Amino acid sequence: MAILVCGGAGYIGSHTVKELVNTYEVIVLDNLTTGFEQLIDPKAAFVKGDLGDPAILDDIFTTHDIDAVFHFAANSLVGESVENPLKYYRNNVGATLVLLDKMIEHGVKRFIFSSTAATYGIPDTDMITEKTKTNPINPYGRSKLMIEQILADLANVHDFQYVVLRYFNAAGAHESGEIGESHDPESHLIPIVLQHLLGQRDKISVFGTDYETADGTCVRDYIHVTDLARAHILSYEGMAGGKIANKTYNLGNGAGYSVKEIIETCQQISGKEAVVDYAAKRAGDPAALVASSDKISEELGWKPAFNLNDIISSAWAWHSN
Ligand code: UFG
Protein backbone atom coordinates (compact mmCIF):
# COMPACT_ATOMS: atom_id res chain seq x y z
CA MET A 1 0.00 0.00 0.00
CA ALA A 2 1.36 3.41 -0.96
CA ILE A 3 0.36 7.03 -0.58
CA LEU A 4 0.32 9.48 -3.47
CA VAL A 5 1.29 13.01 -2.41
CA CYS A 6 0.31 15.62 -4.98
CA GLY A 7 2.38 18.73 -4.37
CA GLY A 8 4.98 16.89 -2.30
CA ALA A 9 7.73 19.28 -3.45
CA GLY A 10 5.98 22.28 -1.90
CA TYR A 11 6.36 23.66 1.60
CA ILE A 12 3.71 21.74 3.55
CA GLY A 13 3.76 18.76 1.19
CA SER A 14 7.50 18.18 1.56
CA HIS A 15 7.28 18.32 5.36
CA THR A 16 4.46 15.78 5.31
CA VAL A 17 6.42 13.50 2.97
CA LYS A 18 9.35 13.63 5.39
CA GLU A 19 7.09 12.30 8.18
CA LEU A 20 5.28 9.79 5.94
CA VAL A 21 8.39 8.05 4.57
CA ASN A 22 9.19 6.79 8.08
CA THR A 23 6.19 4.43 7.81
CA TYR A 24 4.78 4.38 4.28
CA GLU A 25 5.76 3.97 0.66
CA VAL A 26 5.33 7.44 -0.84
CA ILE A 27 4.99 8.64 -4.44
CA VAL A 28 5.25 12.39 -5.00
CA LEU A 29 3.58 13.99 -8.03
CA ASP A 30 4.61 17.61 -8.57
CA ASN A 31 5.07 19.81 -11.63
CA LEU A 32 7.66 21.96 -9.80
CA THR A 33 5.98 25.24 -10.79
CA THR A 34 6.07 26.40 -7.16
CA GLY A 35 7.81 23.40 -5.52
CA PHE A 36 11.47 22.45 -5.40
CA GLU A 37 12.78 18.96 -6.18
CA GLN A 38 15.48 19.22 -3.49
CA LEU A 39 12.75 19.44 -0.82
CA ILE A 40 11.50 15.92 -1.63
CA ASP A 41 12.78 13.28 0.75
CA PRO A 42 14.98 10.83 -1.20
CA LYS A 43 13.03 7.87 0.26
CA ALA A 44 9.97 8.96 -1.78
CA ALA A 45 9.57 8.17 -5.49
CA PHE A 46 9.17 11.31 -7.59
CA VAL A 47 7.06 11.78 -10.72
CA LYS A 48 7.34 15.19 -12.39
CA GLY A 49 4.03 16.13 -13.94
CA ASP A 50 0.63 17.80 -13.62
CA LEU A 51 -2.12 16.40 -11.47
CA GLY A 52 -4.47 17.45 -14.27
CA ASP A 53 -2.76 15.00 -16.65
CA PRO A 54 -4.99 11.91 -16.90
CA ALA A 55 -2.27 9.75 -18.53
CA ILE A 56 0.19 10.34 -15.68
CA LEU A 57 -2.53 9.51 -13.14
CA ASP A 58 -3.49 6.34 -15.02
CA ASP A 59 0.15 5.31 -14.95
CA ILE A 60 0.58 6.00 -11.21
CA PHE A 61 -2.69 4.32 -10.24
CA THR A 62 -1.97 1.19 -12.32
CA THR A 63 1.69 0.75 -11.35
CA HIS A 64 1.28 1.38 -7.59
CA ASP A 65 -1.20 0.10 -5.04
CA ILE A 66 -2.32 3.54 -3.85
CA ASP A 67 -4.42 3.58 -0.69
CA ALA A 68 -4.80 7.34 -0.31
CA VAL A 69 -4.07 10.64 -2.00
CA PHE A 70 -2.81 13.63 0.00
CA HIS A 71 -3.53 16.68 -2.14
CA PHE A 72 -1.35 19.74 -1.45
CA ALA A 73 -0.81 20.88 -5.04
CA ALA A 74 -2.40 24.30 -5.49
CA ASN A 75 -1.78 27.96 -6.05
CA SER A 76 -2.24 29.70 -2.72
CA LEU A 77 -1.70 33.46 -2.94
CA VAL A 78 -4.78 35.50 -2.15
CA GLY A 79 -3.67 38.63 -4.06
CA GLU A 80 -2.69 36.68 -7.16
CA SER A 81 -6.05 34.90 -7.12
CA VAL A 82 -7.85 38.24 -7.30
CA GLU A 83 -5.66 39.33 -10.25
CA ASN A 84 -5.84 36.02 -12.09
CA PRO A 85 -8.95 34.08 -11.04
CA LEU A 86 -8.90 31.69 -13.99
CA LYS A 87 -5.45 30.42 -12.95
CA TYR A 88 -6.94 29.53 -9.55
CA TYR A 89 -10.08 27.90 -10.89
CA ARG A 90 -8.08 26.03 -13.56
CA ASN A 91 -5.35 24.72 -11.25
CA ASN A 92 -7.14 24.40 -7.92
CA VAL A 93 -10.53 23.25 -9.18
CA GLY A 94 -10.09 21.98 -12.76
CA ALA A 95 -6.95 19.91 -12.17
CA THR A 96 -8.35 18.54 -8.89
CA LEU A 97 -11.43 17.31 -10.77
CA VAL A 98 -9.18 15.29 -13.09
CA LEU A 99 -7.46 13.79 -10.05
CA LEU A 100 -10.78 12.93 -8.37
CA ASP A 101 -12.14 11.47 -11.59
CA LYS A 102 -9.11 9.18 -11.90
CA MET A 103 -9.31 8.19 -8.23
CA ILE A 104 -12.93 7.09 -8.67
CA GLU A 105 -12.09 5.26 -11.91
CA HIS A 106 -9.20 3.36 -10.29
CA GLY A 107 -11.03 2.69 -7.02
CA VAL A 108 -8.71 4.84 -4.86
CA LYS A 109 -10.99 5.84 -2.04
CA ARG A 110 -9.18 7.97 0.56
CA PHE A 111 -8.43 11.66 0.09
CA ILE A 112 -6.82 14.24 2.39
CA PHE A 113 -7.39 17.77 1.14
CA SER A 114 -5.38 20.91 1.96
CA SER A 115 -7.90 23.65 2.58
CA THR A 116 -7.54 27.01 4.21
CA ALA A 117 -8.74 29.60 6.69
CA ALA A 118 -9.50 31.67 3.58
CA THR A 119 -12.74 29.65 3.24
CA TYR A 120 -14.12 31.64 6.21
CA GLY A 121 -13.60 35.10 4.68
CA ILE A 122 -14.08 37.76 7.35
CA PRO A 123 -15.51 35.78 10.26
CA ASP A 124 -17.87 37.36 12.80
CA THR A 125 -16.16 35.60 15.71
CA ASP A 126 -12.81 35.77 17.52
CA MET A 127 -12.46 31.98 17.60
CA ILE A 128 -13.24 30.18 14.35
CA THR A 129 -14.71 26.70 14.64
CA GLU A 130 -15.70 24.40 11.79
CA LYS A 131 -19.29 25.54 12.40
CA THR A 132 -18.38 29.16 11.63
CA LYS A 133 -20.06 30.16 8.38
CA THR A 134 -17.85 29.87 5.30
CA ASN A 135 -17.91 32.97 3.13
CA PRO A 136 -14.67 33.30 1.15
CA ILE A 137 -13.84 36.78 -0.11
CA ASN A 138 -11.38 35.89 -2.85
CA PRO A 139 -11.03 33.33 -5.69
CA TYR A 140 -8.39 31.37 -3.74
CA GLY A 141 -10.75 30.75 -0.82
CA ARG A 142 -13.63 30.02 -3.19
CA SER A 143 -11.55 27.53 -5.20
CA LYS A 144 -10.83 25.58 -2.01
CA LEU A 145 -14.43 25.71 -0.78
CA MET A 146 -15.67 24.45 -4.16
CA ILE A 147 -13.52 21.33 -3.83
CA GLU A 148 -14.75 20.84 -0.25
CA GLN A 149 -18.32 20.83 -1.54
CA ILE A 150 -17.48 18.48 -4.41
CA LEU A 151 -15.87 16.03 -1.97
CA ALA A 152 -19.06 15.86 0.07
CA ASP A 153 -21.06 15.15 -3.09
CA LEU A 154 -18.66 12.37 -4.14
CA ALA A 155 -18.74 10.71 -0.73
CA ASN A 156 -22.55 10.53 -1.00
CA VAL A 157 -22.50 8.29 -4.05
CA HIS A 158 -19.09 6.62 -4.33
CA ASP A 159 -17.00 4.34 -2.16
CA PHE A 160 -14.91 7.39 -1.31
CA GLN A 161 -13.88 9.10 1.94
CA TYR A 162 -12.18 12.39 2.64
CA VAL A 163 -10.74 14.63 5.32
CA VAL A 164 -10.57 18.39 4.70
CA LEU A 165 -7.88 20.21 6.70
CA ARG A 166 -8.28 23.98 6.92
CA TYR A 167 -4.85 25.38 7.70
CA PHE A 168 -4.36 28.68 9.40
CA ASN A 169 -0.85 30.22 9.00
CA ALA A 170 1.68 27.47 8.34
CA ALA A 171 5.19 28.43 9.45
CA GLY A 172 8.47 27.01 10.75
CA ALA A 173 10.94 24.47 9.42
CA HIS A 174 11.70 20.77 9.87
CA GLU A 175 13.72 19.87 12.97
CA SER A 176 16.35 18.17 10.77
CA GLY A 177 17.19 21.61 9.37
CA GLU A 178 17.05 20.04 5.89
CA ILE A 179 13.85 21.66 4.66
CA GLY A 180 11.91 24.82 5.46
CA GLU A 181 9.62 27.49 4.04
CA SER A 182 10.60 28.50 0.56
CA HIS A 183 8.48 30.42 -1.93
CA ASP A 184 9.63 32.34 -4.97
CA PRO A 185 8.75 35.15 -4.76
CA GLU A 186 8.27 35.13 -0.98
CA SER A 187 5.17 36.89 0.34
CA HIS A 188 4.73 35.35 3.82
CA LEU A 189 5.44 37.37 6.92
CA ILE A 190 7.84 35.17 8.92
CA PRO A 191 10.25 34.33 6.07
CA ILE A 192 10.22 37.97 4.96
CA VAL A 193 11.11 39.20 8.45
CA LEU A 194 13.88 36.60 8.84
CA GLN A 195 15.30 37.32 5.38
CA HIS A 196 15.43 40.99 6.34
CA LEU A 197 17.18 40.21 9.64
CA LEU A 198 19.74 38.19 7.65
CA GLY A 199 20.45 41.22 5.47
CA GLN A 200 18.68 39.83 2.39
CA ARG A 201 16.04 42.62 2.32
CA ASP A 202 16.33 46.33 3.10
CA LYS A 203 13.27 46.54 5.35
CA ILE A 204 9.97 45.00 6.35
CA SER A 205 6.66 46.55 5.36
CA VAL A 206 3.82 46.19 7.85
CA PHE A 207 0.61 46.15 5.84
CA GLY A 208 -1.89 48.25 7.81
CA THR A 209 -1.78 49.71 11.32
CA ASP A 210 -5.41 50.66 11.91
CA TYR A 211 -7.08 47.28 12.04
CA GLU A 212 -9.46 46.65 14.93
CA THR A 213 -6.89 44.65 16.89
CA ALA A 214 -4.99 45.44 20.10
CA ASP A 215 -2.02 47.07 18.32
CA GLY A 216 -3.72 47.87 15.00
CA THR A 217 -1.87 45.22 12.96
CA CYS A 218 -3.37 41.97 11.64
CA VAL A 219 -3.61 38.98 13.96
CA ARG A 220 -2.99 35.45 12.69
CA ASP A 221 -2.77 31.95 14.15
CA TYR A 222 0.66 30.48 13.31
CA ILE A 223 0.98 26.71 13.27
CA HIS A 224 4.19 24.70 12.87
CA VAL A 225 4.42 22.86 9.58
CA THR A 226 5.37 19.61 11.36
CA ASP A 227 2.18 19.83 13.44
CA LEU A 228 0.28 20.18 10.16
CA ALA A 229 2.14 17.20 8.71
CA ARG A 230 1.23 15.03 11.70
CA ALA A 231 -2.44 16.04 11.42
CA HIS A 232 -2.47 14.64 7.88
CA ILE A 233 -1.07 11.31 9.01
CA LEU A 234 -3.51 11.09 11.93
CA SER A 235 -6.37 11.89 9.55
CA TYR A 236 -5.26 9.20 7.12
CA GLU A 237 -4.82 6.60 9.84
CA GLY A 238 -8.17 7.59 11.38
CA MET A 239 -9.87 6.98 8.03
CA ALA A 240 -7.95 3.80 7.21
CA GLY A 241 -8.75 2.43 10.69
CA GLY A 242 -12.47 3.15 10.27
CA LYS A 243 -12.54 5.72 13.08
CA ILE A 244 -13.51 8.75 11.00
CA ALA A 245 -14.72 9.59 7.49
CA ASN A 246 -15.79 12.72 5.64
CA LYS A 247 -14.58 15.25 8.18
CA THR A 248 -13.50 18.88 8.13
CA TYR A 249 -10.99 20.09 10.70
CA ASN A 250 -9.34 23.43 11.50
CA LEU A 251 -5.62 23.34 12.19
CA GLY A 252 -4.20 26.18 14.27
CA ASN A 253 -2.64 26.84 17.66
CA GLY A 254 -5.68 28.67 19.03
CA ALA A 255 -3.61 31.78 19.79
CA GLY A 256 -3.38 34.92 17.70
CA TYR A 257 -0.26 37.04 17.23
CA SER A 258 -0.13 40.44 15.57
CA VAL A 259 2.31 41.41 12.84
CA LYS A 260 4.11 43.61 15.39
CA GLU A 261 4.38 40.69 17.84
CA ILE A 262 5.82 38.46 15.12
CA ILE A 263 8.47 41.05 14.27
CA GLU A 264 9.27 41.46 17.98
CA THR A 265 9.68 37.69 18.48
CA CYS A 266 11.86 37.40 15.36
CA GLN A 267 14.09 40.19 16.73
CA GLN A 268 14.39 38.45 20.10
CA ILE A 269 15.25 35.08 18.58
CA SER A 270 17.75 36.46 16.06
CA GLY A 271 19.22 39.11 18.40
CA LYS A 272 18.96 41.58 15.50
CA GLU A 273 17.08 44.83 15.02
CA ALA A 274 14.58 45.26 12.16
CA VAL A 275 13.95 48.30 9.98
CA VAL A 276 10.15 48.59 9.78
CA ASP A 277 8.13 50.58 7.30
CA TYR A 278 4.46 51.11 8.16
CA ALA A 279 2.66 50.71 4.84
CA ALA A 280 -0.88 50.64 3.47
CA LYS A 281 -3.20 47.69 3.98
CA ARG A 282 -2.87 44.74 1.60
CA ALA A 283 -6.11 44.01 -0.28
CA GLY A 284 -8.17 41.12 1.08
CA ASP A 285 -6.53 40.80 4.53
CA PRO A 286 -9.04 40.07 7.35
CA ALA A 287 -8.12 41.75 10.68
CA ALA A 288 -7.90 38.57 12.74
CA LEU A 289 -8.02 34.83 12.02
CA VAL A 290 -7.68 32.47 14.98
CA ALA A 291 -8.70 28.81 14.94
CA SER A 292 -10.28 26.53 17.43
CA SER A 293 -8.83 23.09 16.70
CA ASP A 294 -10.86 21.38 19.44
CA LYS A 295 -12.64 19.12 16.96
CA ILE A 296 -9.55 17.32 15.66
CA SER A 297 -8.14 17.29 19.15
CA GLU A 298 -11.25 15.52 20.50
CA GLU A 299 -11.75 13.15 17.56
CA LEU A 300 -8.15 12.23 16.71
CA GLY A 301 -6.11 13.37 19.70
CA TRP A 302 -4.15 15.91 17.62
CA LYS A 303 -2.43 18.62 19.65
CA PRO A 304 0.12 21.08 18.36
CA ALA A 305 3.56 20.30 19.81
CA PHE A 306 5.19 23.62 18.84
CA ASN A 307 4.53 27.17 20.04
CA LEU A 308 5.40 30.48 18.39
CA ASN A 309 8.94 30.49 19.80
CA ASP A 310 9.57 26.99 18.43
CA ILE A 311 8.13 28.02 15.07
CA ILE A 312 10.32 31.09 14.70
CA SER A 313 13.44 29.40 16.17
CA SER A 314 13.16 26.54 13.67
CA ALA A 315 12.58 28.97 10.80
CA TRP A 316 15.54 31.10 11.92
CA ALA A 317 17.80 28.02 12.07
CA TRP A 318 16.78 27.03 8.55
CA HIS A 319 17.01 30.52 7.01
CA SER A 320 20.39 31.09 8.68
CA ASN A 321 21.75 28.08 6.80
N1 UFG B 1 2.28 40.95 6.27
C1 UFG B 1 2.95 42.15 6.43
N2 UFG B 1 4.07 42.34 5.71
C2 UFG B 1 4.59 41.42 4.83
C3 UFG B 1 3.91 40.19 4.71
C4 UFG B 1 2.75 39.99 5.44
O1 UFG B 1 2.53 43.02 7.18
O2 UFG B 1 5.63 41.67 4.20
C5 UFG B 1 1.08 40.71 7.07
C6 UFG B 1 -0.15 40.42 6.21
O3 UFG B 1 -0.78 41.60 5.84
C7 UFG B 1 -0.96 39.54 7.16
C8 UFG B 1 0.08 38.81 8.00
O4 UFG B 1 1.29 39.55 7.84
O5 UFG B 1 -1.71 40.34 7.99
C9 UFG B 1 0.31 37.39 7.55
O6 UFG B 1 0.53 37.42 6.13
P1 UFG B 1 1.00 36.14 5.31
O7 UFG B 1 1.13 36.57 3.90
O8 UFG B 1 2.18 35.53 5.96
O9 UFG B 1 -0.20 35.12 5.49
P2 UFG B 1 -1.75 35.31 5.18
O10 UFG B 1 -2.45 35.35 6.50
O11 UFG B 1 -2.03 36.40 4.24
O12 UFG B 1 -2.04 33.99 4.34
C10 UFG B 1 -2.16 32.73 4.89
C11 UFG B 1 -1.81 31.69 3.85
C12 UFG B 1 -2.80 31.76 2.70
C13 UFG B 1 -4.20 31.65 3.24
C14 UFG B 1 -4.44 32.68 4.29
C15 UFG B 1 -5.79 32.48 4.90
O13 UFG B 1 -0.51 31.89 3.37
O14 UFG B 1 -2.55 30.70 1.81
O15 UFG B 1 -3.48 32.56 5.33
O16 UFG B 1 -6.27 33.70 5.33
F1 UFG B 1 -5.11 31.85 2.25
Side-chain angles (χ1 to χ4, degrees):
M1 285 286 188
I3 292 173
L4 172 64
V5 180
C6 299
Y11 173 44
I12 304 169
S14 64
H15 283 76
T16 306
V17 168
K18 216 166 181 49
E19 299 295 312
L20 274 173
V21 292
N22 296 328
T23 318
Y24 299 101
E25 181 192 346
V26 177
I27 294 102
V28 168
L29 173 64
D30 201 302
N31 63 10
L32 301 181
T33 54
T34 57
F36 301 94
E37 192 170 351
Q38 63 269 29
L39 294 181
I40 304 170
D41 190 284
K43 291 201 274 299
F46 174 48
V47 178
K48 182 168 184 271
D50 285 320
L51 73 128
D53 183 336
I56 289 183
L57 294 169
D58 279 333
D59 188 49
I60 292 172
F61 289 139
T62 47
T63 52
H64 300 273
D65 187 12
I66 304 285
D67 190 48
V69 176
F70 288 33
H71 180 28
F72 298 91
N75 295 112
S76 61
L77 299 176
V78 167
E80 184 188 53
S81 80
V82 175
E83 298 293 317
N84 193 353
L86 277 179
K87 175 176 178 180
Y88 278 69
Y89 293 122
R90 190 184 305 117
N91 292 343
N92 294 3
V93 182
T96 302
L97 290 184
V98 177
L99 171 65
L100 291 168
D101 214 4
K102 285 293 166 189
M103 285 182 66
I104 302 289
E105 184 185 326
H106 290 272
V108 180
K109 63 178 184 199
R110 298 192 177 98
F111 192 70
I112 316 269
F113 182 57
S114 300
S115 190
T116 169
T119 53
Y120 293 109
I122 300 175
D124 56 4
T125 170
D126 292 340
M127 188 57 87
I128 300 171
T129 74
E130 296 81 356
K131 292 201 173 104
T132 301
K133 193 175 171 316
T134 50
N135 187 18
I137 57 166
N138 48 61
Y140 169 60
R142 278 191 280 276
S143 73
K144 289 289 182 176
L145 187 60
M146 283 175 193
I147 296 297
E148 291 192 12
Q149 291 164 334
I150 290 166
L151 293 176
D153 289 340
L154 291 184
N156 270 334
V157 290
H158 294 288
D159 183 14
F160 177 88
Q161 307 176 326
Y162 67 87
V163 173
V164 165
L165 298 174
R166 291 181 180 154
Y167 314 151
F168 282 62
N169 288 59
H174 196 263
E175 62 189 353
S176 64
E178 289 166 11
I179 57 173
E181 184 166 10
S182 193
H183 302 103
D184 187 20
E186 188 53 77
S187 65
H188 294 86
L189 179 64
I190 291 175
I192 282 180
V193 176
L194 298 181
Q195 287 171 356
H196 164 63
L197 294 172
L198 284 165
Q200 296 162 7
R201 291 172 185 268
D202 295 345
K203 59 177 179 156
I204 307 159
S205 296
V206 172
F207 300 140
T209 52
D210 61 352
Y211 282 98
E212 282 183 27
T213 59
D215 67 18
T217 66
C218 284
V219 167
R220 294 287 181 273
D221 182 337
Y222 295 86
I223 177 79
H224 197 288
V225 64
T226 300
D227 282 324
L228 292 183
R230 289 177 184 156
H232 288 75
I233 296 171
L234 275 179
S235 297
Y236 166 61
E237 290 174 350
M239 260 196 296
K243 194 171 170 187
I244 57 156
N246 311 331
K247 294 283 186 175
T248 298
Y249 297 120
N250 284 344
L251 293 175
N253 259 309
Y257 293 93
S258 73
V259 174
K260 280 186 179 167
E261 287 173 315
I262 294 296
I263 295 171
E264 182 55 39
T265 310
C266 290
Q267 292 184 133
Q268 279 164 15
I269 285 168
S270 66
K272 292 174 191 281
E273 195 76 23
V275 177
V276 180
D277 168 44
Y278 293 99
K281 285 180 179 169
R282 191 172 68 175
D285 274 342
L289 291 172
V290 181
S292 159
S293 303
D294 289 352
K295 187 176 167 193
I296 189 166
S297 165
E298 282 156 20
E299 296 186 5
L300 291 176
W302 177 82
K303 285 235 170 0
F306 301 100
N307 64 22
L308 186 70
N309 266 296
D310 304 324
I311 290 171
I312 295 180
S313 300
S314 66
W316 175 245
W318 189 74
H319 280 278
S320 304
N321 276 325

